């Protein structure tokens, strides 16, 4: 024992000798630091120091600091030294060498403050770090408290030395990049607002003056930072900070900044590691200890700082946190912070769980509304929730459900993201520690039904769309429970609410909605007014179809294919992508193949070039690139089988898509897609089971590539003709090839080819290829060479003669109809119309005149309409000759097919001969009131196209006939009309509604006594909406027009109505007879509509919370602007009302009173509604008519009393109905119901209060 004690004593003696030699360095200048200087430093509490005496010189720079630090370090770890410093401790050595502790602290503070400046040299920065480390080391040596070494301000200054000495240029550059990212990302991001401009200017100047540091300098400074951090960690192990909470906060802040000081290679250790982040997290872990204060306070303090690391924000000492760019270093620091929180929870267990819940709640409320940050934040929440036991987990999900119904859009969006992240984890099972009422919150079913699907009808379109996207993503998750929950929503047998769901009264239960209602809701979302919602609904629809959650029915698939013609570009692209994904998932389904063709093929001619490119890419990927030789074909190859199935549909059920399909080949031919190998592959299929599809592709290639070598195609055709196959369906190939055929090759069209039409086994109809072949031969060869003309005369002359002889015997003969064969008449007429257009149309007219009363059926009538129209496009004289006949058929013909074809022909002719057809536009527009919905819809579509391209102008009664379709008996046609007007035509002519509005009043009331309006030569009776029975239909049109007015147009139309209608009655230009009274009453009804009020006034009054996403300052600024705007607009409107309207109203009222006209009550009703905005200015307005002013004041008072009584009645009724226990959702519905009821009843009470 004596030997051990003697050895320890010898060690301390040796240590004391070394320390004494190092302390001599201090003794060189500590005495030179005058007592006055030392006292001044302490008096200023180490915030500033004066210069030391010039005789003080530090030799070898930082070497002395290192030597002294190494000699003092053993004293910090020596537990046998007396804390009083009486047995040879460091404090005794200092005293023996004349070093005052007070002077030593002052000198160290001098070096610490020397590195605070931005312009400090490298040596000054290193000395500051080493002096700070030395001060922290002295604080950890026993006896420091007795010697009063600790000073809070100096301690905090030492902690700040790291941020002061480490160059901030990289940090500031990161902040600038963050600012740019914040402005560019997110639709609601706002410019960065600086709180103090002068401070920012000073910072920029300091940044310009900052000393440049080399990589070697940075390494030296890093060594000093590591030394300081390790000194602080040693201090925290021995020196408690429970009495210094501010210093503990500063330690946490410093460690939090150092967590992303440098990258960590490999797995991060939360013990005392070597890298800076490891040391920082170890320091945060030490500060969680009860040695540094109450454990709860310590955990709250540490988690608060870690919060911003997880949120990827930079939090300074003051001000709002700034968002950091999501770089690799920032993301790595975020993952480390999540791991540290998990480590703390694993170590502390139960005490850390309440603070983990608080941390998760703060993450939820502070999360920024940016997609990337929300997604990563949701993943962080899910990872940390995994550390919670089932009871706490269920409790948090319950809180999350309430959070998902917060007023802010960002909160509801983040709740959806968290739900999706949680469903990626295994579903939890309840144990005995979970309360019965919380069991239901553990399942994925609750997340799907109550949070994800519960936001399907959210007020915000952003949330609605995101909820639908999440619904689709649930089907892609590995969790079978989530998929099963989705299927329950759309299952006809499963109910949405299970009896095991036990929820509190204040919570919304999953609605007990049938699958039919759910599907109907999804389809409504596909046609939602908001583009983003439609895109997300398409994604959800595709996912449900892809995973067989809903049936692959024609109706469901049509929803996808129709969206390829959506007005929004992004929706069209999304629909195309969904169709491709669905075809990939179900390549064998015939209905999916049809829907794919119906959606993709027409998109080839879309107005947007990007949509065309997408459609062409889909077609090339699915059809063109999959064509291989017949020898390489295998039915086991699903992709090749799909290609030929699609081509088969194009030949059979989807023939109407041929013209769109041809456009694709025109584009591909310019891109040189058709090689000789491609042609050979197609020819190899012409004698196999896919011959129809092969010949279809050959015909499209032939029509789009005039320079192609057709020798091999003709050889294949010759082989087909020589065979026993029926060739009529393959003749379309030669419609486009004939112009390239050499005369020597024409004999290949032998007698069988030409006269196959006489064969009994071929049924000729308007779509057969042989008649089309003959007609297109004529069209494509208008300058026929002699050889081709001779060939046609030789082979086709007899055929035409036979057809003409038969038709003349049946149609021109009085008794020909007795032995008529209708099928044969159709066939012969069809052939003749394609070859001799003049004679065929004469037969058609003669047939219509003489034989139609005896024979009915459109099959005989309509074939002769389209071929004349086709040839009229090439011959102006034919157009001039047959246009009157076409117009007459629109009025007289009773056959649907004929009228339909004539409309198509006349609209096509309008493009080619605009001036010639212009006089017949009223005949076409009259079809908007055709008895057949098909004709009305077709006419509406074609007139819209002509108006868009300006082949037709808004002349005559065209606008009023077009706008009348808004009240069509067929809702789909009315909806189509609204779409055409708003999305297509109004954009081209924004003033067309306001230009025609006043004339609409006269036109739809059939009033023709005005000298200017409603003076059209066309018949008006067909489109008249006159009479009380049509009042609602007229006002539907008025409301529609006014809704799409601008404020300027509403303002001007009010003045025009006053001058052009009301003033005309006052001046006697319009008589106040029965028709005039109806027009005048309707005018006051229009002026009373809420749609005619300026939106600047109505929006300012009703601005509230469609998007409660803005911060308080922006909302306040917006509210101030709205109030100011309303005030200015109201003053202008008031001035115009007084100057323009009041004199006319007073005169008109006097005239109506004299004639005792019933229109007076409409005038008073209009005044009552108008004067509600000017309640206190009635006498000023009607100074010229005091009686009218008194009447208005009395009527307004009575109306207000009635409204108050009605509100009280509705309120009492609502309380009684709810049983005295109001809840949030029913109260909202009650208020909406009462308000709408009041509005309806107010209209009905006007007559009571304002009748004279």
């Amino acid at each position: 024992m004596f030997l051990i004690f003697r050895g320890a004593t010898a060690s301390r003696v040796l240590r004391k000798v070394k320390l004494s030699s190092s302390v001599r360095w201090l003794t060189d200048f500590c005495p030179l630091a005058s007592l006055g200087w030392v006292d001044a430093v302490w008096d200023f509490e180490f915030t500033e120091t004066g210069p030391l005496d010039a005789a003080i010189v530090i030799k070898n720079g930082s070497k002395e600091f290192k030597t002294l630090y190494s000699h003092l370090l053993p004293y910090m770890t020596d537990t046998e030294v007396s804390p009083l410093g009486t047995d040879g401790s460091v404090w005794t050595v200092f005293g023996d060498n004349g070093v005052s502790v007070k002077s030593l602290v002052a000198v160290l503070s001098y070096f610490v403050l020397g590195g605070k400046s931005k312009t400090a040299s490298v040596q000054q920065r290193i000395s500051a770090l080493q002096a700070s480390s030395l001060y922290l080391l002295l604080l950890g040596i026993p006896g420091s408290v007795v010697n009063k070494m600790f000073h809070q301000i100096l301690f905090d200054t030492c902690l700040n030395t790291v941020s002061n000495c480490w160059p901030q240029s990289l940090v500031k550059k990161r902040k600038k990049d963050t600012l740019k990212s914040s402005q560019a990302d997110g639709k609601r991001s706002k410019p960065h607002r600086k709180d103090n401009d002068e401070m920012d200017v000073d910072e920029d100047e300091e940044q310009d003056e900052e000393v440049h540091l080399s990589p070697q300098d940075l390494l030296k400074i890093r060594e000093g930072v590591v030394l300081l951090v390790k000194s602080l960690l040693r201090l925290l192990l021995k020196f408690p900070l429970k009495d210094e909470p501010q210093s503990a906060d500063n330690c946490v802040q410093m460690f939090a900044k150092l967590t992303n000081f440098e990258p960590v290679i490999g797995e991060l250790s939360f013990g005392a590691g070597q890298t800076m982040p490891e040391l920082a997290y170890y320091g945060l872990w030490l500060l969680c200890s009860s040695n540094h204060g109450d454990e709860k306070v310590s955990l709250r303090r540490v988690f608060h700082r870690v919060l911003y690391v997880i949120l990827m924000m930079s939090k300074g000492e003051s001000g709002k946190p700034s968002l950091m760019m999501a770089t690799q270093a920032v993301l790595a620091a975020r993952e480390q912070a999540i791991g540290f929180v998990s480590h703390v929870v694993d170590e502390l267990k139960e005490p850390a769980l309440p603070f983990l819940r608080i941390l998760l709640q703060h993450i939820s409320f502070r999360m920024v509304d940016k997609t990337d940050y929300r997604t990563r934040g949701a993943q962080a929440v899910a990872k940390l929730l995994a550390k919670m036991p089932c009871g706490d987990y269920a409790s948090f999900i319950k809180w999350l459900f309430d959070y998902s119904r917060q007023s802010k859009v960002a909160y509801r969006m983040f709740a959806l993201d968290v739900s999706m992240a949680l469903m990626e984890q295994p579903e939890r099972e309840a144990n005995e520690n979970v309360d019965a009422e919380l069991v239901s919150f553990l399942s994925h079913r609750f997340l799907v039904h109550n949070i994800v699907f519960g936001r399907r009808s959210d007020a915000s379109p952003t949330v609605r769309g995101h909820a639908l996207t999440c619904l689709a993503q649930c089907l892609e998750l590995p969790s079978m429970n989530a998929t099963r929950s989705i299927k329950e929503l759309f299952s006809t047998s499963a109910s949405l609410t299970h009896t095991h769901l036990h929820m509190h009264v204040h919570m919304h239960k999953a609605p007990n909605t049938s699958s039919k209602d759910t599907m109907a809701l999804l389809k409504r979302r596909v046609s939602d007014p908001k583009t983003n919602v439609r895109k997300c609904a398409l994604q959800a629809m595709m996912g449900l179809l892809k995973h067989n959650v809903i049936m692959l029915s024609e109706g469901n698939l049509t929803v996808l294919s129709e969206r390829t013609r959506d007005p929004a570009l992004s929706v069209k692209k999304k629909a195309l992508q969904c169709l491709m994904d669905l075809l990939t998932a179900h390549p064998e389904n015939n209905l999916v193949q049809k829907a794919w063709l119906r959606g993709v093929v027409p998109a080839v001619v879309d107005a947007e070039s990007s949509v065309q490119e997408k459609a062409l890419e889909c077609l090339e990927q699915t059809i063109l690139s999959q064509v291989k030789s017949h020898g390489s074909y295998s039915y086991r190859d699903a992709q090749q089988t799909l290609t030929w199935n699609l081509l088969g549909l194009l030949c059979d059920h989807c023939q109407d898509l041929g013209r769109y399909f041809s456009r694709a080949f025109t584009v591909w031919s310019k891109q040189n897609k058709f090689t000789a190998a491609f042609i050979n592959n197609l020819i190899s299929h012409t004698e196999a089971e896919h011959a129809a599809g092969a010949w279809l592709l050959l015909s499209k290639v032939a029509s789009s590539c005039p320079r192609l070598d057709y020798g091999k195609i003709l050889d294949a055709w010759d082989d087909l003709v020589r065979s026993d196959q029926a060739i009529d369906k393959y003749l379309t190939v030669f419609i486009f090839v004939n112009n390239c055929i050499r005369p020597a090759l024409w004999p290949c069209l032998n007698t069988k080819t030409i006269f196959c039409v006489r064969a009994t086994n071929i049924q000729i109809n308007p779509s057969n290829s042989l008649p089309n072949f003959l007609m297109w031969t004529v069209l494509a060869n208008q300058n026929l060479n002699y050889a081709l003309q001779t060939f046609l005369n030789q082979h086709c002359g007899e055929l035409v003669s036979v057809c003409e002889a038969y038709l003349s015997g049946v149609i021109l003969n009085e008794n020909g109809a007795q032995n008529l064969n209708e099928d044969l008449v159709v066939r012969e007429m069809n052939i003749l119309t394609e070859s001799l257009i003049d004679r065929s149309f004469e037969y058609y007219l003669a047939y219509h005149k003489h034989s139609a009363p005896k024979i009915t059926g459109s099959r005989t009538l309509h074939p002769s309409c389209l071929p004349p129209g086709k040839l009229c496009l090439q011959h102006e004289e034919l157009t001039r000759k047959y246009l009157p006949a076409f117009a007459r058929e629109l009025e007289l013909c009773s056959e649907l097919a004929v009228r339909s074809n004539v409309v198509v022909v006349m609209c096509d002719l309008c493009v080619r001969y605009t001036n010639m057809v212009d006089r017949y536009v009223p005949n076409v527009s009259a079809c908007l009131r055709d008895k057949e919905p098909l004709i009305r819809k077709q006419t509406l579509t074609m007139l819209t196209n002509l108006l868009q391209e300006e082949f037709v102008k808004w002349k005559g009664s065209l606008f009023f006939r077009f706008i009348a379709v808004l009240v069509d008996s067929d809702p789909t046609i009315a909806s189509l009309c609204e779409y055409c007007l708003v999305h297509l035509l109004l954009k081209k002519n924004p003033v067309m509604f306001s230009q025609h509005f006043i004339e609409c009043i006269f036109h739809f009331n059939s009033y023709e006594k005005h000298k200017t309006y409603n003076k059209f030569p066309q018949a008006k009776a067909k489109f008249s909406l006159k009479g009380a029975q049509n009042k609602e239909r007229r006002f539907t049109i008025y409301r529609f027009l006014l809704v799409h007015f601008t404020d300027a147009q509403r303002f001007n139309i009010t003045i025009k109505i006053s001058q052009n209608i009301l003033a005309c009655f006052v001046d006697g230009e319009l008589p106040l007879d029965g028709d005039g009274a109806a027009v005048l009453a309707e005018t006051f009804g229009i002026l009373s509509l809420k749609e005619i009020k300026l939106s600047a006034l109505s929006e300012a009054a009703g601005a509230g919370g469609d998007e409660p996403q803005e911060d308080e300052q922006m909302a306040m600024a917006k509210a101030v602007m709205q109030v100011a705007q309303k005030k200015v607009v109201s003053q202008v409107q008031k001035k115009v009302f007084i100057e323009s309207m009041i004199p006319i109203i007073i005169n008109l009222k006097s005239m109506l009173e004299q004639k005792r006209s019933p229109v007076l009550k409409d005038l008073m009703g209009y005044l009552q509604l108008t004067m509600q905005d000017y309640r206190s200015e009635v006498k000023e307005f009607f100074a010229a008519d005091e009686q009218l002013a008194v009447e208005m004041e009395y009527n307004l008072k009575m109306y207000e009393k009635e409204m108050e009584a009605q509100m009280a009645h509705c309120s009492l009724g609502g309380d009684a109905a709810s049983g005295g226990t109001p809840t949030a959702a029913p109260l909202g519905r009650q208020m909406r119901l009462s308000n709408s009821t009041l509005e309806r009843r107010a209209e009905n009470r006007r007559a009571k209060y304002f009748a004279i």
Side-chain angles (χ1 to χ4, degrees), residues 1121-1186:
M1121 289 296 295
Q1122 287 177 344
V1123 171
Q1125 182 184 23
K1126 179 181 179 181
K1127 184 175 181 180
V1128 173
V1129 174
S1130 179
Q1131 291 297 325
V1132 174
Q1133 190 180 37
K1134 173 184 173 181
K1135 181 180 178 181
V1136 173
F1137 186 72
I1138 293 175
E1139 295 177 354
S1140 302
M1141 297 290 291
I1142 292 298
I1144 297 176
I1145 292 295
I1146 293 176
N1147 293 330
L1148 195 58
K1149 175 179 177 292
S1150 177
M1151 183 181 69
L1152 294 174
E1153 286 177 342
Q1154 292 176 3
K1155 296 188 177 183
R1156 298 181 180 275
S1157 173
V1159 184
L1160 186 59
K1161 68 177 183 180
D1162 298 284
L1163 184 148
M1164 296 298 292
Y1166 160 67
L1167 281 180
Q1168 182 268 330
L1169 286 175
T1170 306
M1171 296 311 298
Q1172 286 181 358
D1173 297 331
Y1174 309 101
R1175 181 68 180 84
S1176 60
E1177 300 168 315
V1178 175
K1179 292 183 178 180
E1180 177 187 351
F1181 276 33
F1182 299 103
D1185 192 336
E1186 294 182 359

Side-chain angles (χ1 to χ4, degrees), residues 374-394:
R374 276 203 328 264
T375 302
R376 293 188 174 97
Q379 293 171 354
V381 171
K383 289 179 181 178
L384 294 176
L385 270 176
K387 297 297 179 180
M388 282 188 173
C390 289
D392 295 294
Y393 176 89

Side-chain angles (χ1 to χ4, degrees), residues 587-834:
E588 73 290 342
N589 190 286
N590 185 261
L591 293 177
V592 174
Q593 295 170 3
K594 288 182 181 178
W596 186 87
L597 289 172
R598 295 287 179 191
V600 174
V601 177
V604 173
V605 296
D606 192 87
E608 297 288 344
S609 59
S610 56
V611 177
Q612 296 179 17
E613 294 171 359
K614 180 67 175 178
L616 288 170
E617 178 186 348
C618 295
L619 287 171
E620 182 178 0
Q621 176 184 344
T622 309
I623 295 180
L624 200 65
S625 63
Q626 300 300 326
V627 175
K628 301 177 182 178
S629 64
H630 184 262
S632 303
Y633 171 75
S634 172
Y635 69 91
R636 294 187 180 90
D637 190 335
Q639 193 60 49
Q640 289 192 57
T641 303
L642 172 62
T643 298
W644 291 110
N645 288 342
L646 292 173
L647 290 172
L649 289 173
L650 286 171
C651 294
D652 190 6
H653 299 288
C654 301
Q655 293 184 16
D656 55 315
L657 301 177
R659 60 183 182 274
Y660 306 116
F661 200 45
S662 300
R663 175 62 182 273
F665 281 81
T666 302
V667 177
W668 285 333
S669 66
K670 296 177 182 178
Q671 300 173 355
N672 298 322
K673 297 285 185 181
F674 308 127
T675 62
F678 178 78
I679 300 299
N680 293 334
N681 291 338
L682 287 177
I683 292 176
S684 67
H685 288 276
T686 54
E687 297 181 3
E689 64 272 20
H690 304 128
W695 281 112
L696 173 65
L697 290 182
L698 286 172
S699 69
K700 302 301 180 183
V701 172
S703 65
S704 58
C705 296
R707 298 182 180 179
L708 197 65
D709 183 9
Y710 298 106
K712 294 182 179 180
I713 301 178
L714 292 176
D715 293 340
W717 172 259
D718 186 63
D719 295 338
L720 179 65
V721 170
R722 297 178 187 279
S723 66
D724 294 332
Q725 298 183 42
I727 62 171
D728 65 308
K729 59 182 178 180
Y730 304 131
L731 284 170
T732 52
V733 181
F734 277 86
I735 292 175
F736 304 102
V737 180
N738 63 80
N739 199 29
C740 304
I741 299 177
R742 298 188 303 274
L745 298 175
W746 274 94
C748 72
L749 294 175
N750 53 21
T751 305
K752 175 183 176 181
T753 305
I754 295 298
F755 289 97
C756 67
V757 71
R758 311 303 303 170
T760 57
N761 62 334
I762 299 179
Q763 298 297 322
I764 299 297
N765 55 59
S767 62
N768 271 134
S769 301
L770 181 57
N772 288 329
F773 164 67
L774 297 176
M775 184 194 72
W776 282 103
T777 298
V778 176
L779 291 179
N781 299 274
Q782 296 185 30
N783 299 320
L784 293 175
N785 55 43
Y786 177 77
L788 182 57
Q789 184 65 57
T790 303
F791 175 81
L792 290 175
N793 292 337
Q794 176 183 355
H795 292 278
C796 303
E798 181 182 353
L799 177 62
V800 173
S801 300
V802 172
C803 294
E804 185 176 1
Y806 175 78
L807 292 175
S808 61
V810 172
I811 295 176
L812 302 181
N813 190 349
E814 231 179 88
N815 300 323
Q818 296 178 357
N819 299 320
L820 179 131
N821 185 338
E822 187 173 352
D823 291 337
L824 192 56
V825 169
V826 172
R827 186 170 63 183
E828 307 296 350
M829 182 81 78
N830 212 15
I831 296 174
L832 192 61
T833 56
E834 304 293 356

Side-chain angles (χ1 to χ4, degrees), residues 943-956:
L943 282 177
T944 301
N945 293 332
L946 294 176
L947 288 165
Q948 272 189 293
E949 301 297 331
E950 297 187 354
F951 292 111
V952 171
K953 303 290 186 182
W954 291 114
K955 296 192 300 185

Side-chain angles (χ1 to χ4, degrees), residues 785-951:
N785 55 43
Y786 177 77
L788 182 57
Q789 184 65 57
T790 303
F791 175 81
L792 290 175
N793 292 337
Q794 176 183 355
H795 292 278
C796 303
E798 181 182 353
L799 177 62
V800 173
S801 300
V802 172
C803 294
E804 185 176 1
Y806 175 78
L807 292 175
S808 61
V810 172
I811 295 176
L812 302 181
N813 190 349
E814 231 179 88
N815 300 323
Q818 296 178 357
N819 299 320
L820 179 131
N821 185 338
E822 187 173 352
D823 291 337
L824 192 56
V825 169
V826 172
R827 186 170 63 183
E828 307 296 350
M829 182 81 78
N830 212 15
I831 296 174
L832 192 61
T833 56
E834 304 293 356
S835 51
L836 297 176
I837 181 63
D838 291 337
R839 293 291 295 159
S840 66
F841 203 65
E842 290 174 7
Y843 282 124
Y844 167 72
L845 296 178
Y847 177 86
H848 184 65
K849 182 177 180 181
H850 300 292
S851 303
K854 304 175 186 178
I855 308 169
T856 60
S858 61
R859 292 186 62 227
T860 313
L861 295 175
H862 83 274
S864 299
C865 298
L866 287 178
K870 294 176 182 178
L871 291 182
C872 283
L873 291 172
Q874 301 292 331
H875 301 281
E876 186 175 352
E877 290 302 321
L878 288 178
T879 305
R880 200 180 307 277
K881 179 178 180 181
Y882 292 122
L883 261 179
F886 288 143
R888 189 189 68 178
E889 292 304 311
L890 282 180
E891 298 178 4
L892 303 179
C893 185
S894 60
E895 295 296 335
L896 168 65
V898 173
R899 297 199 308 278
S900 176
N901 288 338
V902 170
V903 169
V904 174
V905 168
M906 293 192 70
C907 290
D908 287 344
L909 293 176
C910 186
V911 177
R912 183 70 174 85
Y913 310 106
T914 305
N915 294 331
M916 191 184 303
V917 185
D918 186 64
R919 58 180 295 190
Y920 297 103
V921 170
N923 300 81
V924 178
S925 63
C927 295
L928 292 172
R929 278 299 176 90
D930 194 276
K931 62 182 180 180
E932 296 292 340
L934 177 64
I935 302 294
R936 300 199 300 271
K937 184 176 182 180
Q938 179 176 288
T939 306
L940 178 68
T941 305
M942 302 200 74
L943 282 177
T944 301
N945 293 332
L946 294 176
L947 288 165
Q948 272 189 293
E949 301 297 331
E950 297 187 354
F951 292 111

Side-chain angles (χ1 to χ4, degrees), residues 134 208 223 245 265 317 321 419 436 598 773 811 858 1055 1098 1100 1185:
L134 188 58
D208 295 338
E223 291 177 1
I265 301 176
E317 296 181 1
S419 300
R598 295 287 179 191
F773 164 67
I811 295 176
S858 61
I1055 299 175
S1098 58
D1185 192 336

Side-chain angles (χ1 to χ4, degrees), residues 1088 1093 1164-1173 1175 1190-1208 1234-1250:
S1088 302
K1093 291 185 178 181
M1164 296 298 292
Y1166 160 67
L1167 281 180
Q1168 182 268 330
L1169 286 175
T1170 306
M1171 296 311 298
Q1172 286 181 358
D1173 297 331
R1175 181 68 180 84
V1190 172
E1191 291 178 2
M1192 286 304 305
E1193 284 191 335
Y1194 174 77
N1195 291 335
L1196 287 172
K1197 288 180 181 178
M1198 294 297 295
Y1199 181 77
E1200 289 171 358
K1201 288 182 180 179
E1202 178 66 18
M1203 292 289 288
E1204 291 175 0
Q1206 185 67 31
M1207 286 291 292
S1234 62
N1235 290 338
S1236 61
T1237 303
L1238 288 176
E1239 291 177 1
R1240 290 197 303 271
R1241 293 177 182 176
E1243 294 283 343
N1244 299 331
R1245 286 198 302 272
R1246 288 176 188 162
K1248 173 182 177 182
Y1249 291 120
F1250 303 106

